[in-house]
């Protein structure tokens, strides 16, 4: 990333975002690099990673994007451990939050996630 943005953001909000990473540690490192000291990171979302799948799908996808074969998918406790190791401190949470996702209230089959919510600050 552009170094002009390092240590310059007051807050980063990740909503249904962490599980889009082929390597979530790279995302967390970028958040830490971009936030100013004392800046906050607010997260809400599930960990239903999009990069890991069946072996046949991975084999087909590697031709399109090599990150399918290199996916690193951490649990919430591992994400929190990495975050603390990089210099984040927990302010609120973590706790689970039931979230409806892209669903019509009248549907008989809504999509509901048991998402994680937390707030951390850069030390």
């Amino acid at each position: 990333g552009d170094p002009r943005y390092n240590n310059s953001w007051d807050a980063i909000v990740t909503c249904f975002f962490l599980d889009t990473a082929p390597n979530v540690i790279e995302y967390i490192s970028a958040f830490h690099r971009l936030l100013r000291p004392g800046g906050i990171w607010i997260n809400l979302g599930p960990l239903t990673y999009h990069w890991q799948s069946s072996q046949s799908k991975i084999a087909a996808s590697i031709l399109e994007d090599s990150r399918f074969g290199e996916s690193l998918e951490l649990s919430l406790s591992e994400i929190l451990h990495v975050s603390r190791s990089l210099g984040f401190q927990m302010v609120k949470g973590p706790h689970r939050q039931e979230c409806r996702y892209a669903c019509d209230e009248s549907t008989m089959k809504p999509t509901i996630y048991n998402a994680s919510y937390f707030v951390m600050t850069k030390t």
Side-chain angles (χ1 to χ4, degrees), residues 36-90:
R36 66 167 175 76
I40 62 170
W41 169 26
I42 303 168
N43 178 74
L44 174 68
L47 295 174
T48 57
Y49 294 98
H50 303 273
W51 291 92
Q52 192 76 308
S53 62
S54 69
Q55 292 299 322
S56 60
K57 191 172 182 181
I58 290 173
S61 299
I62 287 173
L63 298 174
E64 297 173 24
D65 192 328
S66 64
R67 294 176 294 175
F68 273 96
E70 302 164 1
S71 177
L72 178 63
E73 300 175 354
L74 303 181
S75 67
L76 177 59
S77 62
E78 291 169 327
I79 286 171
L80 298 177
H81 176 78
V82 167
S83 300
R84 289 182 186 109
S85 297
L86 290 172
F88 281 103
Q89 181 179 356
M90 187 64 66

Side-chain angles (χ1 to χ4, degrees), residues 6-116:
N6 291 352
N7 297 303
S8 64
W9 293 90
D10 293 323
I12 293 175
V13 178
T14 52
C15 184
F16 281 69
F17 182 70
L18 287 181
D19 59 356
T20 67
N23 181 338
V24 71
I25 295 172
E26 291 176 357
Y27 278 18
I28 298 167
S29 296
F31 304 156
H32 191 270
R33 186 183 76 250
L34 293 169
L35 284 170
R36 66 167 175 76
I40 62 170
W41 169 26
I42 303 168
N43 178 74
L44 174 68
L47 295 174
T48 57
Y49 294 98
H50 303 273
W51 291 92
Q52 192 76 308
S53 62
S54 69
Q55 292 299 322
S56 60
K57 191 172 182 181
I58 290 173
S61 299
I62 287 173
L63 298 174
E64 297 173 24
D65 192 328
S66 64
R67 294 176 294 175
F68 273 96
E70 302 164 1
S71 177
L72 178 63
E73 300 175 354
L74 303 181
S75 67
L76 177 59
S77 62
E78 291 169 327
I79 286 171
L80 298 177
H81 176 78
V82 167
S83 300
R84 289 182 186 109
S85 297
L86 290 172
F88 281 103
Q89 181 179 356
M90 187 64 66
V91 174
K92 187 173 183 180
H95 71 266
R96 299 290 183 172
Q97 176 67 46
E98 185 177 282
C99 295
R100 292 179 175 265
Y101 183 80
C103 64
D104 180 349
E105 289 295 322
S106 65
T107 186
M108 294 180 73
K109 188 177 178 184
T111 302
I112 301 173
Y113 288 102
N114 189 14
S116 62

